[in-house]
Amino acid sequence: MSVWKLVKLNFGRSPVHFGELGIGIEETSDRVRSDALFSAWVSVYARLFGKNAVEELLDRFPSQERSQQISPLRISSTFIYRQDNEHTIYYLPRPLKFPINYPNEELEFFKTYKNLNYLPLEVWQRWYQGEGFTENDTEELIAETKGKSNRHLRQLGTFDYKKAFEIGQIPKIAVDRVTRATNLYHTGFVQFKWEKNPSGLYFLIQLSPEVEKLADQLKAALHLLGEEGLGGERSSGAGRFQLEWLELPDAWQSIVDFSGGTYYTLMSLFWDTPITTEFLNNASYEIQERGGWIAENQLRRKMVRMFSEGSVFLTPPEGKLVDVTPQGFKKHRIYRSGVSLSLPIKAKNK
């Protein structure tokens, strides 16, 4: 039986820069996806415990060479949490299918609904594991579209996702090593709220019993990652965080234990091969291109296309590690994690 943990990353006053493929350094994402988190975590794990330890860990994961293995460790992407007095609001990605009872005629509030890319846990659970969409939800979304509602959805923080952080740009100077010429550029940073109603990022971990024995080592690697920083611009002090490694709260336990689902929605990125037409039957999904550079020598890793968070499938996706080692790189293999973490949901069929 697997063991679940919830990890909170508190960045305090430290700004963060999370780059995404296709956007310049002037822009930044507000969170880190599962593959990037996995890579950073494993890299620090290797430095702490050595090459043999990390190779032994990676050999437990399914890959193109070991396709029949069951993943011993699954992690979600990071998502935002926001403290509201004594209550913590956890935001989850909205599944790419409508909740049950969602009305066929929704033109009055469809734009407002589509802008809800992330839902508070209580709303997510009611819409996708509980009674579903209600007439009161319709009325409140119409009110929000026309102005501003002050009812249940708003009280739960449904429309307050962007209150958790601010995005800004910091000017920087680059100096040419040869000519000493200077060049002005700007870097985008996210600053999570750290005073009143502090916020940060969280992610879920699903551990097999055998890998749970490595929990102390995995936790130690995360602590070191927090000291060094997550994301880009770490030399400027960005991305440093304090770690909270928590037992799964009761509200979350009921979500992961839900047995009445007819679909599965991704909380992480997902890659697998082969993907059959049968697997994609009645699925709703988006594709995310993932690339990047190897930090030690600035070679570009192979590009890979993955299913993104919120994608919905009829059967639980499993996923594999994908080898993205660039041609000519011989030091060691480079993997990107397409191992998925998903949650069971109910959803409208059409």
Side-chain angles (χ1 to χ4, degrees), residues 67-183:
S67 60
Q68 300 304 313
Q69 290 185 205
I70 302 299
S71 179
L73 169 68
R74 300 179 187 274
I75 62 173
S76 73
S77 295
T78 63
F79 303 104
I80 284 177
Y81 75 86
R82 186 167 70 88
Q83 202 67 34
D84 186 12
N85 298 320
E86 298 300 318
H87 177 62
T88 303
I89 302 173
Y90 295 101
Y91 288 95
L92 289 75
R94 177 175 57 80
L96 296 178
K97 280 190 179 292
F98 294 122
I100 58 172
N101 304 323
Y102 186 85
N104 294 325
E105 301 295 333
E106 82 293 48
L107 293 180
E108 288 185 273
F109 64 85
F110 181 69
K111 184 177 180 181
T112 301
Y113 172 87
K114 292 294 285 185
N115 285 335
L116 297 176
N117 295 317
Y118 303 95
L119 300 172
L121 182 147
E122 294 85 351
V123 177
W124 188 98
Q125 186 175 31
R126 179 168 63 82
W127 281 5
Y128 288 99
Q129 291 186 341
E131 63 181 317
F133 206 82
T134 67
E135 188 173 336
N136 287 335
D137 295 325
T138 296
E139 293 173 358
E140 185 167 357
L141 287 175
I142 291 173
E144 183 70 20
T145 302
K146 293 180 177 179
K148 184 176 181 180
S149 69
N150 58 0
R151 297 167 63 180
H152 191 59
L153 293 179
R154 175 161 292 281
Q155 292 167 7
L156 291 173
T158 306
F159 309 110
D160 297 334
Y161 177 81
K162 292 186 177 180
K163 287 185 178 181
F165 60 90
E166 293 180 355
I167 295 180
Q169 292 186 351
I170 297 177
K172 294 199 168 189
I173 298 291
V175 181
D176 189 281
R177 294 183 180 180
V178 178
T179 66
R180 312 304 296 172
T182 59
N183 180 46

Side-chain angles (χ1 to χ4, degrees), residues 5-11 18 30-34 37 75-82 88-94 118-121 124 161 192 199-205 230 242-244 246 248-249 252 255 267 341 343:
K5 304 290 182 182
L6 186 144
V7 177
K8 296 171 74 173
L9 311 179
N10 178 9
F11 293 91
F18 301 139
D30 53 27
R31 61 188 186 85
V32 177
R33 296 179 186 266
S34 56
L37 175 62
I75 62 173
S76 73
S77 295
T78 63
F79 303 104
I80 284 177
Y81 75 86
R82 186 167 70 88
T88 303
I89 302 173
Y90 295 101
Y91 288 95
L92 289 75
R94 177 175 57 80
Y118 303 95
L119 300 172
L121 182 147
W124 188 98
Y161 177 81
F192 293 105
S199 60
L201 297 175
Y202 78 92
F203 66 96
L204 299 172
I205 306 176
L230 180 63
Q242 295 291 321
L243 174 72
E244 290 185 71
L246 305 172
L248 201 64
W252 275 103
I255 284 178
M267 290 286 286
L341 187 148
L343 296 175

